[in-house]
Amino acid sequence: MEDVDDFLSDSAALFGEKPVDDGTIRYGPLVLTVAPKEGKANTLLADHLFSPSLLLAEFIERGTISLEGRSAVELGAGCALPSLLSSTLEDPPALVVITDYPDDTILKNLTANAERNKPHFNSRCTVHVLGYEWGKDVSPLLKVVESRRPNDGGFDVVIMSDLLHFDSSHDVLLRSLSALLRRCPHARAYVAAGKYTKAHVCDRFVEEAAKAGIALEEGVVESVWKGELEVSGGGLDREQLAARKGMSRWWVGRWADQ
């Protein structure tokens, strides 16, 4: 992984992006905070909201990423914008499991975000927050989905926002993705990265995913913000949202043999 200071300065210097790390983020009905700048929250960048989360949130809002009636898990969720937003939709997923590293500071903020926004959850969506370290036993996560739909063998959707810069962790990240993604034709992984993550790092992840049997196809990103919900906090006007969206890349993953 790149040095954290270099990672953040690259983002700001190359793209004019200032991480949203000092206050409240509002997206539609959601009111979110990032974790305090301390300990693992700082090391693992859970104390920022980066552009790929905004990209995925806009796609979820617009239905470009459809989660209706599905089971979804988000890895390394940070403040969990994409997964929490999905729970508020008119046609929500049936189940959302939000995960991040099992650190008290990270999980306290993540749980607070879920509890604060609970009144906005669609009654047809069940939301869980769990600590999970990539590469470890996924059975506690699978038990949640299997308690609702026995024998499913995994989640319909895995969301991964801005995790690829942890290049030394690609192997454990792929191990978790492979174990969590349901083996069926309609199962999908939605992966997003900032352009501050080196292209060769993203390419290597795509190559390693292919070796694991998961085909990742890159999607098009327009530098135009098309979301209709109001977004504020950290200077996020529509111009800034469009710029930050354009700073991102995304892929749709599926089992190659399905």
Side-chain angles (χ1 to χ4, degrees):
M1 176 185 172
E2 297 174 329
D3 179 83
V4 172
D5 291 335
D6 289 343
F7 173 76
L8 296 177
S9 63
D10 282 351
S11 171
L14 291 176
F15 305 107
E17 175 172 10
K18 295 182 179 179
V20 180
D21 61 357
D22 57 351
T24 301
I25 303 106
R26 291 178 169 82
Y27 193 119
L30 296 178
V31 179
L32 303 173
T33 58
V34 295
K37 292 179 173 296
E38 58 188 53
K40 282 288 187 180
N42 182 257
T43 305
L44 300 178
L45 305 181
D47 57 346
H48 295 84
L49 173 67
F50 287 104
S51 301
S53 289
L54 292 165
L55 171 76
L56 291 179
E58 191 230 64
F59 286 171
I60 288 170
E61 176 195 345
R62 293 171 50 217
T64 303
I65 295 175
S66 177
L67 302 177
E68 182 180 359
R70 309 185 82 182
S71 58
V73 60
E74 182 171 5
L75 299 177
C79 67
L81 171 58
S83 48
L84 283 175
L85 181 65
S86 75
S87 72
T88 70
L89 298 178
E90 183 177 350
D91 297 311
L95 173 68
V96 171
V97 177
I98 306 168
T99 75
D100 210 329
Y101 188 83
D103 169 79
D104 287 346
T105 300
I106 293 173
L107 291 183
K108 182 178 180 181
N109 182 71
L110 191 53
T111 301
N113 279 341
E115 287 299 319
R116 184 186 311 113
N117 292 287
K118 193 173 183 178
H120 304 297
F121 295 169
N122 189 305
S123 60
R124 290 182 284 121
C125 180
T126 301
V127 177
H128 294 265
V129 175
L130 295 172
Y132 176 69
E133 182 178 355
W134 307 337
K136 300 297 184 181
D137 180 16
V138 299
S139 59
L141 306 183
L142 294 178
K143 284 179 182 176
V144 178
V145 69
E146 289 169 0
S147 68
R148 298 178 58 87
R149 295 193 313 202
N151 303 316
D152 263 12
F155 289 85
D156 298 318
V157 173
V158 178
I159 298 170
M160 297 165 45
S161 175
D162 212 22
L163 307 184
L164 302 193
H165 53 266
F166 294 97
D167 54 333
S168 63
S169 298
H170 283 184
D171 57 341
V172 292
L173 188 56
L174 280 168
R175 194 182 311 157
S176 294
L177 173 59
S178 299
L180 290 168
L181 188 63
R182 185 181 176 193
R183 277 197 171 271
C184 66
H186 69 259
R188 295 289 182 270
Y190 296 106
V191 181
K195 290 182 179 177
Y196 38 74
T197 299
K198 306 297 189 207
H200 71 87
V201 173
C202 296
D203 292 344
R204 186 165 66 246
F205 183 84
V206 172
E207 291 167 3
E208 292 302 313
K211 293 177 184 177
I214 297 173
L216 288 168
E217 181 178 356
E218 187 164 6
V220 175
V221 176
E222 299 178 87
S223 296
V224 178
W225 186 258
K226 296 184 177 181
E228 296 184 358
L229 294 174
E230 183 177 353
V231 184
S232 64
L236 290 175
D237 57 19
R238 292 191 71 84
E239 182 180 0
Q240 185 62 217
L241 287 165
R244 294 187 66 174
K245 178 183 174 183
M247 295 168 196
S248 305
R249 304 172 66 187
W250 79 302
W251 296 261
V252 180
R254 67 196 74 200
W255 289 108
D257 61 357
Q258 296 290 317

